Amino acid sequence: MSDKPESCESRAPKSTYTISARGKADHQSVIKFLKQHFAAVPLAQVESVFGFVEPSTLYGGRFYLMRQLSERDTGLLANHGIGLRIPFTNHFATKEEFDANRPLLAKYHHKRNSIICTNDDLAYWIKQEYPDYDIEASVIKNLLKPEQIEEAFDLYDTLVLPMVLNDDEAFLAALAQKDRIRLFANAGCAYTCPARICYKSISKFNKGLGGEFKCSQDLKAREMQGMIDFDLQRLRNLGFHKFKLLRARAGDLTGY
């Protein structure tokens, strides 16, 4: 990340970051992981860390292959006052699946923790029965229009906007409730992706439904820019202070 932590003398609200735990080695504690790979971000500004915990068919975004945050890790996050974000971003959810995930939801139900959702029904069910969670609309929802964003605020506590909107200063400046909006601090292949068809195929795989992994690279040409760091001071000047931070995969083509 090219951004530097803000001066302690700044009058603006401190930026906070939600950070990806994807790719963390099993033997490494989450706190050491943060200090090694995200050293530019003080722990006091780490709002939360996101990653898979116990197995669930409600995960989306990435293939569920193994747990990314151990019992020890979730305990360390709690001890440091850092929230856990659970990526329940599967496109497809049934009431039966929600019922099956009650033990997991009850275990981590705390005001500092949050659930990321793509499916509106799932977000509603969780919000009704586990009100202490912050329910965040995933970037996968692709909220690109002001009316979509305003409608999403009726259900979700916070929203993650597509990283392409970081380039549209007039659009961002006009948005209300900036304190409920999270922007990407950096981005990988999704920044220039024209379709994002991978997400639905991953949702099916995580339910054990098989199928074929699909990527728009094979269907429509696009520029691959690798990992991009956004100018966070420019975004702060527009009134945004919540950011999502990824870690580059080997080769720097996309992020964990």
Side-chain angles (χ1 to χ4, degrees):
M1 184 181 68
S2 61
D3 182 55
K4 295 180 180 179
E6 300 100 311
S7 166
C8 292
E9 297 178 357
S10 173
R11 295 183 180 180
K14 287 284 187 183
S15 294
T16 59
Y17 300 86
T18 184
I19 293 179
S20 172
R22 297 169 184 145
K24 184 184 75 66
D26 289 342
H27 66 274
Q28 187 178 36
S29 80
V30 67
I31 301 302
K32 289 183 177 178
F33 170 81
L34 292 172
K35 290 179 177 179
Q36 177 182 348
H37 295 287
F38 300 93
V41 181
L43 281 181
Q45 289 178 247
V46 179
E47 172 194 310
S48 55
V49 173
F50 61 94
F52 299 138
V53 284
E54 286 90 340
S56 173
T57 60
L58 295 176
Y59 292 133
R62 299 292 190 277
F63 292 109
Y64 178 78
L65 301 175
M66 60 184 293
R67 184 168 185 159
Q68 296 164 335
L69 291 166
S70 67
E71 292 283 348
R72 180 192 179 209
D73 288 330
T74 58
L76 285 170
L77 291 175
N79 290 342
H80 283 78
I82 298 173
L84 167 68
R85 283 161 56 82
I86 302 173
F88 274 3
T89 56
N90 204 291
H91 281 76
F92 315 106
T94 65
K95 194 61 162 58
E96 289 72 23
E97 281 182 292
F98 168 71
D99 292 339
N101 280 273
R102 287 177 184 277
L104 189 158
L105 288 164
K107 179 177 180 179
Y108 298 109
H109 188 214
H110 191 280
K111 287 185 180 297
R112 68 174 166 267
N113 295 337
S114 51
I115 306 290
I116 317 168
C117 286
T118 302
N119 184 286
D120 290 346
D121 288 337
L122 178 61
Y124 177 80
W125 296 329
I126 296 173
K127 195 174 184 67
Q128 290 301 302
E129 297 195 33
Y130 301 92
D132 285 345
Y133 280 120
D134 180 283
I135 309 299
E136 183 158 284
S138 170
V139 66
I140 299 173
K141 289 187 69 63
N142 205 33
L143 303 171
L144 292 168
K145 299 178 180 179
E147 56 269 27
Q148 292 176 320
I149 293 170
E150 284 302 313
E151 183 178 357
F153 277 138
D154 292 338
L155 176 60
Y156 295 92
D157 299 301
T158 52
L159 317 175
V160 182
L161 297 188
M163 56 282 287
V164 69
L165 291 179
N166 285 9
D167 299 330
D168 193 338
E169 290 193 12
F171 181 93
L172 293 177
L175 292 176
Q177 303 190 71
K178 294 181 175 66
D179 60 323
R180 296 175 64 187
I181 292 173
R182 192 181 310 279
L183 301 179
F184 275 82
N186 58 357
C189 64
Y191 181 41
T192 57
C193 182
R196 299 180 182 87
I197 60 175
C198 60
Y199 292 130
K200 280 194 175 181
S201 64
I202 290 172
S203 288
K204 292 179 180 179
F205 270 104
N206 285 346
K207 291 186 181 299
L209 300 177
E212 179 184 359
F213 174 70
K214 296 180 180 180
C215 176
S216 64
Q217 289 186 56
D218 301 326
L219 303 175
K220 188 173 182 179
R222 59 168 150 147
E223 181 183 1
M224 295 295 289
Q225 299 182 20
M227 287 295 291
I228 299 293
D229 289 333
F230 295 108
D231 181 351
L232 298 196
Q233 189 55 55
R234 177 178 62 85
L235 298 173
R236 284 195 288 262
N237 291 343
L238 292 172
F240 298 92
H241 298 279
K242 290 179 178 288
F243 297 104
K244 181 173 180 177
L245 190 54
L246 308 177
R247 183 164 69 93
R249 287 180 181 270
D252 289 338
L253 289 179
T254 190
Y256 280 109

